[in-house]
Structure formats: structure tokens, C-alpha cells
Amino acid sequence: MARRIHLEPSRTLTEFRLLPGLTTRETSIDQISLASPLVLCPDGGTITLKTPVLAAAMQSVSGPRMGIELARLGGAAVIYCSQPIADEAAMVAKIKAHKAGFVEPQAVGPETPLREVDALRRREGYSTFPVVDVKGHLLGLITRRDYDARIHGDVPAKERMVPRAQLDVGVAITDLEEANALLIEGHRAVLPIVDGDDRLLALVFRKDIEDHLDNPDQLVDERKRLLAVAAVNTHDYESRVPALVDAGVDVLVIDSSDGHTTFQRDTLAWIRRRSPSLPVIGGNVITGDGFEYLVAAGAGAVKVGMGGGSMCITQEQKGTGRGLATAVMDVVAARDRYEAKTGVHVPVIADGGVVNSKDVVIALALGADAIMMGRFFARMEESPTESVRINDRVMKPYWGEGSARAREWSPARYRQAAFVEGVEGFVEYAGKLRDNLPLLVTKVKAAMSSCGCRTIAELHANAELELVSALAIREGKVHDILQLGGEADSLSSWST
Ligand code: IMP
């Protein structure tokens, strides 16, 4: 006899509906904030998302393009670890190098020949370099317009630079709006920021500021670089973690389909020792016991879900898994007990099988703080795959991390795994993330407005959910009308 047999079936997100609460002027859509904790930092701080969604750590989902664009929209993509360490570190470095306001520039010396400046330009992709003396005092700026490498290759930078006397600078400015005002005032494209002794601190570019002001939810670190999140595994973390740290990673996610393991505990312990201030998300688990185990091992957030992913065959292959709603409820109950005891709210992330805005808000209402999705993001322009045309439909390839295709990057590692846990397929191309995510956000906010909740914390405290019957789910879809070209364009979808 098994130790325990749960006779109550586990539930999926699709089986729940929200009951509306009292909507007021204060809970209209424009008053609602989706800011939500992603992970607790060991120093006591919290990293907060403005848009509580994560793009899955998958080869077909999260590369640097997704990382940059999603961070600009207030979420985060988890760079996948099923690739060589140097490649993953380069992806993280690319996200961190994306300019989001104050840039710490690579400076050149006054005697640096312009040939070297030009080589630097080609390598770094920047066209403006500050010229500083050995103590870091600003001497001038050299831009691509100031020289011709074929003619001035041997000329030192100091002879072609725009000298300090002709530059507007901002002294010890830390506010982007203030920097922007100075740039506009001086008709400048770039503003050096110096300290009281005229030592260079940063450069601010007009086009970066405009970009930043256009993206108010953008997630940045204290140096105004975009937030970078990356996955690690429980095999090569001793070499992978240091490389990701050097590249500037802000948050690590231990990527495992079953995280309730001593391997994950050992990985967490090692990271805690090697990088004591780095926040780490553990997972995946589907029970309260799994949550408690990972939090005791040092996880700053816990990812939940097994067997529900759109390309996942784990349940069929191994018989392990749980409906995501039940998994979230079980883990959230353990999380709430932990919070009642310690006063610490550990973020919970729902992952696998979240299809659309309705699933997102149901998972949040059940107690999740953020939602991870693979299929949703794989359809976007910014996912790392090329679109293809299949039967007149534009599609993008999507494959599981446990599929044969994903494992091609390191056949040696998977020699033991005689079977796959994911499949390879296609998802319909949806266009740019910027044209899709705001709509999902608005729908989630509309649901919260109906429930009379202004924040996710209020949703956790006040949401009322109801399990619905299969018939009620059917009734909730279009029925009994002929909808030309629509989802219900067939007699079979009619109820009578
Ligand atoms: P989706 O949003 O339903 O497409 O699910 C994405 C999630 O499925 C990921 O975040 C992983 O947790 C999980 N996953 C990724 N690859 C595999 C796989 O090959 N087998 C099973 N689950 C996977």
C-alpha cells in the first residue's frame, strides 16, 4: 500500500473561475498595480517585477532579445542553461550591456591612437568614448564623427576629441529626468556625468533616456542596467555560476523538473557560500514539503509545477505530476504557514501549462506571485527561433528542454537518459512582445478590477474562486451561434 493516496483529483487552472467583488473608482484598471515580488535577496531585500511574468528557461524561448525586451516591459526572461557556459554568460552580458540610462563607459586615455579607439568601437559597438587622465578626470569626448580611422590612425585621441571646455556636463546627477532636461537645454545627444572633482562617473545618452521614459516599467539594477536572470543546473554549477556572476547576472534559477532533491540542496548551499548575496530561485516542486525543503536550503523563491507544460510528456512517461492549480494551492498553503511563523513572504512562481490571461489571473488569485510561460513567449518575434510557413500559417518552432532536440547540445550529459520528457512542435507566430504583453496585462487588471483588488497582495487576500463543472466551462465559451471564421465555426461546438 502506498504511504498516502489522495483520492481528491488534482485541479488545473482551467477548472476555476473568479467571483467578482465590489469594483470602485479606486479599483478601476488604471489604478491597478501588478508589481509583485520575484525573489528574496539574502541581504533582506526583494527583487520585484512590475509585470509578474517570466519567460521560461528554454532554448526556443529565452535568449538575449527576449531578456532585453521583457525586462523593458517589467518582466524577465530566464536565459536557458542547456548550452555551453560561455554562450550563456555571453547572453547575460548582452542583456547587462543594453543601455538603460546611466552608462558606465569604457574610457580611453589622451594618448590612445585613434586606430585603437576605432578597434574598440567595432568591438564594443559604442561610437562615443570619454577621454580621461590617469586619475579619471574628464578631458574630452571622442565620437565617430571626430575622426577618420584611415587618415587619423596614428593621431592620439587628445588631438581630435571635443575638449572638456566645450562640453556640457552634469555634476553628480542621479536622476534621469534631470539629465534629460540638461540634454535638451544644451541641444546635446550625450551628457557626461562627473563628480565634484570633475572625475567621470557615467554617460547619459538622449536616445537611451527617451527609451527609458517610454518604458516606465523597465527593470534595472542600481547601475541602471537591465535585470538579467539566468538558469543553472545541478551538474556544472561550480563553473557555470562564477561565469554568470562575472557576466553580471542578477538572479539565478535552478532549472530542474523535480527540485525536491539533495542535488538542489547542495547546489543552493554551494551558491550561498560562493556568492552570498546572489538571490536564487529553486524548483520545481509540487508539494508543501518540497517548498519547505527548498526554503530551508536557502531558496529565495520557489517555482511550482510538474507535468503540465504544453510540450511536456513527463506525466505520460513517468506518471509524476500534478494539476497546476492544486500544486500552487498546496505550496501556497505551506508558504502562508511559513509567513505566519516568520513574517517572511517567499515568492511562489507558477510554471507549466499557463496558456492565457485567464490562467495567469487564476494562478495569481490562488496565491502565486509570478507566472512562468514557455509557449506564450515562444510565439513572439523576440524568441530565438525563425518563423516558418506551414499550410499558410506563420509558425515558430517550440521544443521542450527534455526533448531530443534540446539535448543535442551535450549528448554526453544525457547518455543516461534513455527517454525524453518533452516533444518538439510549432506554435502560431504572434508578432512582437510589445504588441501582445500589454493586452495580457490589461486583461489581468480587468479581472482584478472586477474582484475589487488593486494589488496582487489584495488579490491573494480577497479573491474568491469557484471550481466549475465541465458543462459550465463549455457554457463559458461561444456556443449555439454560427461564427464564421471564428473558433466555433463548426456544428460540433453547438450544445444542441
Ligand atoms: P508552457 O508554458 O505550458 O509551454 O510550459 C513551459 C514549462 O514547461 C517550462 O517553464 C518548464 O517548466 C516545462 N518544460 C520545459 N521543457 C520541458 C520538457 O521537455 N518536458 C516537460 N516540461 C518541460
Side-chain angles (χ1 to χ4, degrees), residues 5-19:
I5 300 176
H6 297 250
L7 288 173
E8 187 63 29
S10 81
R11 302 292 181 181
T12 69
L13 299 175
T14 316
E15 294 175 89
F16 287 91
R17 293 289 178 270
L18 281 161
L19 302 185

PDB file of all heavy atoms in Angstrom, residues 5-19:
ATOM      1  N   ILE A   5      -2.579   7.987  -0.402  1.00  0.00           N
ATOM      2  CA  ILE A   5      -3.265   8.079  -1.689  1.00  0.00           C
ATOM      3  C   ILE A   5      -4.284   9.212  -1.600  1.00  0.00           C
ATOM      4  O   ILE A   5      -5.172   9.193  -0.739  1.00  0.00           O
ATOM      5  CB  ILE A   5      -3.971   6.748  -2.049  1.00  0.00           C
ATOM      6  CG1 ILE A   5      -2.925   5.628  -2.127  1.00  0.00           C
ATOM      7  CG2 ILE A   5      -4.704   6.876  -3.387  1.00  0.00           C
ATOM      8  CD1 ILE A   5      -3.515   4.246  -2.383  1.00  0.00           C
ATOM      9  N   HIS A   6      -4.097  10.223  -2.451  1.00  0.00           N
ATOM     10  CA  HIS A   6      -5.028  11.358  -2.452  1.00  0.00           C
ATOM     11  C   HIS A   6      -6.185  11.003  -3.377  1.00  0.00           C
ATOM     12  O   HIS A   6      -5.981  10.854  -4.576  1.00  0.00           O
ATOM     13  CB  HIS A   6      -4.335  12.616  -3.007  1.00  0.00           C
ATOM     14  CG  HIS A   6      -3.186  13.064  -2.171  1.00  0.00           C
ATOM     15  ND1 HIS A   6      -3.218  14.203  -1.415  1.00  0.00           N
ATOM     16  CD2 HIS A   6      -1.953  12.536  -1.968  1.00  0.00           C
ATOM     17  CE1 HIS A   6      -2.079  14.356  -0.784  1.00  0.00           C
ATOM     18  NE2 HIS A   6      -1.279  13.355  -1.117  1.00  0.00           N
ATOM     19  N   LEU A   7      -7.363  10.874  -2.842  1.00  0.00           N
ATOM     20  CA  LEU A   7      -8.481  10.483  -3.696  1.00  0.00           C
ATOM     21  C   LEU A   7      -9.189  11.684  -4.324  1.00  0.00           C
ATOM     22  O   LEU A   7      -9.988  11.526  -5.248  1.00  0.00           O
ATOM     23  CB  LEU A   7      -9.456   9.602  -2.915  1.00  0.00           C
ATOM     24  CG  LEU A   7      -8.878   8.208  -2.655  1.00  0.00           C
ATOM     25  CD1 LEU A   7      -9.773   7.389  -1.742  1.00  0.00           C
ATOM     26  CD2 LEU A   7      -8.627   7.455  -3.971  1.00  0.00           C
ATOM     27  N   GLU A   8      -8.888  12.862  -3.812  1.00  0.00           N
ATOM     28  CA  GLU A   8      -9.434  14.086  -4.410  1.00  0.00           C
ATOM     29  C   GLU A   8      -8.586  14.385  -5.650  1.00  0.00           C
ATOM     30  O   GLU A   8      -7.362  14.504  -5.556  1.00  0.00           O
ATOM     31  CB  GLU A   8      -9.304  15.220  -3.390  1.00  0.00           C
ATOM     32  CG  GLU A   8      -9.962  16.529  -3.745  1.00  0.00           C
ATOM     33  CD  GLU A   8     -11.471  16.430  -3.890  1.00  0.00           C
ATOM     34  OE1 GLU A   8     -12.107  15.572  -3.223  1.00  0.00           O
ATOM     35  OE2 GLU A   8     -11.986  17.206  -4.696  1.00  0.00           O
ATOM     36  N   PRO A   9      -9.186  14.466  -6.849  1.00  0.00           N
ATOM     37  CA  PRO A   9      -8.346  14.699  -8.038  1.00  0.00           C
ATOM     38  C   PRO A   9      -7.659  16.057  -8.001  1.00  0.00           C
ATOM     39  O   PRO A   9      -8.192  16.998  -7.416  1.00  0.00           O
ATOM     40  CB  PRO A   9      -9.342  14.643  -9.200  1.00  0.00           C
ATOM     41  CG  PRO A   9     -10.693  14.611  -8.617  1.00  0.00           C
ATOM     42  CD  PRO A   9     -10.604  14.365  -7.156  1.00  0.00           C
ATOM     43  N   SER A  10      -6.487  16.111  -8.606  1.00  0.00           N
ATOM     44  CA  SER A  10      -5.814  17.412  -8.629  1.00  0.00           C
ATOM     45  C   SER A  10      -6.419  18.259  -9.744  1.00  0.00           C
ATOM     46  O   SER A  10      -6.964  17.750 -10.718  1.00  0.00           O
ATOM     47  CB  SER A  10      -4.305  17.248  -8.773  1.00  0.00           C
ATOM     48  OG  SER A  10      -3.921  17.029 -10.084  1.00  0.00           O
ATOM     49  N   ARG A  11      -6.371  19.573  -9.547  1.00  0.00           N
ATOM     50  CA  ARG A  11      -7.102  20.514 -10.392  1.00  0.00           C
ATOM     51  C   ARG A  11      -6.181  21.335 -11.268  1.00  0.00           C
ATOM     52  O   ARG A  11      -5.077  21.682 -10.867  1.00  0.00           O
ATOM     53  CB  ARG A  11      -7.900  21.484  -9.506  1.00  0.00           C
ATOM     54  CG  ARG A  11      -8.883  20.801  -8.567  1.00  0.00           C
ATOM     55  CD  ARG A  11     -10.002  20.163  -9.343  1.00  0.00           C
ATOM     56  NE  ARG A  11     -10.982  19.518  -8.471  1.00  0.00           N
ATOM     57  CZ  ARG A  11     -12.039  18.879  -8.937  1.00  0.00           C
ATOM     58  NH1 ARG A  11     -12.256  18.777 -10.230  1.00  0.00           N
ATOM     59  NH2 ARG A  11     -12.889  18.317  -8.111  1.00  0.00           N
ATOM     60  N   THR A  12      -6.685  21.693 -12.435  1.00  0.00           N
ATOM     61  CA  THR A  12      -5.937  22.589 -13.314  1.00  0.00           C
ATOM     62  C   THR A  12      -6.514  24.002 -13.187  1.00  0.00           C
ATOM     63  O   THR A  12      -7.623  24.188 -12.681  1.00  0.00           O
ATOM     64  CB  THR A  12      -6.066  22.153 -14.788  1.00  0.00           C
ATOM     65  OG1 THR A  12      -7.413  22.386 -15.189  1.00  0.00           O
ATOM     66  CG2 THR A  12      -5.726  20.701 -14.977  1.00  0.00           C
ATOM     67  N   LEU A  13      -5.768  24.969 -13.685  1.00  0.00           N
ATOM     68  CA  LEU A  13      -6.223  26.368 -13.601  1.00  0.00           C
ATOM     69  C   LEU A  13      -7.546  26.547 -14.338  1.00  0.00           C
ATOM     70  O   LEU A  13      -8.406  27.317 -13.929  1.00  0.00           O
ATOM     71  CB  LEU A  13      -5.167  27.303 -14.200  1.00  0.00           C
ATOM     72  CG  LEU A  13      -3.801  27.292 -13.515  1.00  0.00           C
ATOM     73  CD1 LEU A  13      -2.819  28.167 -14.299  1.00  0.00           C
ATOM     74  CD2 LEU A  13      -3.905  27.776 -12.075  1.00  0.00           C
ATOM     75  N   THR A  14      -7.692  25.798 -15.440  1.00  0.00           N
ATOM     76  CA  THR A  14      -8.891  25.929 -16.283  1.00  0.00           C
ATOM     77  C   THR A  14     -10.180  25.638 -15.532  1.00  0.00           C
ATOM     78  O   THR A  14     -11.248  26.068 -15.942  1.00  0.00           O
ATOM     79  CB  THR A  14      -8.781  24.912 -17.448  1.00  0.00           C
ATOM     80  OG1 THR A  14      -7.461  24.983 -17.940  1.00  0.00           O
ATOM     81  CG2 THR A  14      -9.755  25.170 -18.550  1.00  0.00           C
ATOM     82  N   GLU A  15     -10.074  24.902 -14.421  1.00  0.00           N
ATOM     83  CA  GLU A  15     -11.283  24.483 -13.711  1.00  0.00           C
ATOM     84  C   GLU A  15     -11.818  25.519 -12.732  1.00  0.00           C
ATOM     85  O   GLU A  15     -12.794  25.272 -12.051  1.00  0.00           O
ATOM     86  CB  GLU A  15     -11.000  23.193 -12.938  1.00  0.00           C
ATOM     87  CG  GLU A  15     -10.707  22.012 -13.826  1.00  0.00           C
ATOM     88  CD  GLU A  15     -10.316  20.811 -12.996  1.00  0.00           C
ATOM     89  OE1 GLU A  15     -11.198  20.056 -12.599  1.00  0.00           O
ATOM     90  OE2 GLU A  15      -9.108  20.645 -12.727  1.00  0.00           O
ATOM     91  N   PHE A  16     -11.132  26.670 -12.639  1.00  0.00           N
ATOM     92  CA  PHE A  16     -11.567  27.683 -11.678  1.00  0.00           C
ATOM     93  C   PHE A  16     -12.053  28.948 -12.373  1.00  0.00           C
ATOM     94  O   PHE A  16     -11.592  29.292 -13.465  1.00  0.00           O
ATOM     95  CB  PHE A  16     -10.400  28.054 -10.742  1.00  0.00           C
ATOM     96  CG  PHE A  16     -10.086  26.980  -9.748  1.00  0.00           C
ATOM     97  CD1 PHE A  16      -9.154  25.994 -10.054  1.00  0.00           C
ATOM     98  CD2 PHE A  16     -10.725  26.937  -8.526  1.00  0.00           C
ATOM     99  CE1 PHE A  16      -8.867  24.990  -9.156  1.00  0.00           C
ATOM    100  CE2 PHE A  16     -10.449  25.929  -7.615  1.00  0.00           C
ATOM    101  CZ  PHE A  16      -9.519  24.960  -7.925  1.00  0.00           C
ATOM    102  N   ARG A  17     -12.962  29.618 -11.716  1.00  0.00           N
ATOM    103  CA  ARG A  17     -13.391  30.956 -12.138  1.00  0.00           C
ATOM    104  C   ARG A  17     -13.345  31.872 -10.929  1.00  0.00           C
ATOM    105  O   ARG A  17     -13.499  31.420  -9.789  1.00  0.00           O
ATOM    106  CB  ARG A  17     -14.823  30.933 -12.690  1.00  0.00           C
ATOM    107  CG  ARG A  17     -14.974  30.166 -14.002  1.00  0.00           C
ATOM    108  CD  ARG A  17     -14.331  30.911 -15.176  1.00  0.00           C
ATOM    109  NE  ARG A  17     -14.453  30.129 -16.407  1.00  0.00           N
ATOM    110  CZ  ARG A  17     -13.567  29.230 -16.833  1.00  0.00           C
ATOM    111  NH1 ARG A  17     -12.482  28.981 -16.136  1.00  0.00           N
ATOM    112  NH2 ARG A  17     -13.764  28.573 -17.949  1.00  0.00           N
ATOM    113  N   LEU A  18     -13.177  33.165 -11.197  1.00  0.00           N
ATOM    114  CA  LEU A  18     -13.178  34.175 -10.129  1.00  0.00           C
ATOM    115  C   LEU A  18     -14.579  34.710  -9.933  1.00  0.00           C
ATOM    116  O   LEU A  18     -15.297  34.955 -10.923  1.00  0.00           O
ATOM    117  CB  LEU A  18     -12.272  35.339 -10.546  1.00  0.00           C
ATOM    118  CG  LEU A  18     -10.777  35.120 -10.385  1.00  0.00           C
ATOM    119  CD1 LEU A  18     -10.014  36.117 -11.239  1.00  0.00           C
ATOM    120  CD2 LEU A  18     -10.382  35.251  -8.919  1.00  0.00           C
ATOM    121  N   LEU A  19     -14.969  34.909  -8.694  1.00  0.00           N
ATOM    122  CA  LEU A  19     -16.243  35.581  -8.432  1.00  0.00           C
ATOM    123  C   LEU A  19     -15.943  37.064  -8.237  1.00  0.00           C
ATOM    124  O   LEU A  19     -15.021  37.413  -7.494  1.00  0.00           O
ATOM    125  CB  LEU A  19     -16.895  35.023  -7.160  1.00  0.00           C
ATOM    126  CG  LEU A  19     -17.181  33.519  -7.166  1.00  0.00           C
ATOM    127  CD1 LEU A  19     -17.932  33.128  -5.899  1.00  0.00           C
ATOM    128  CD2 LEU A  19     -17.982  33.123  -8.403  1.00  0.00           C
TER     129      LEU A  19
END
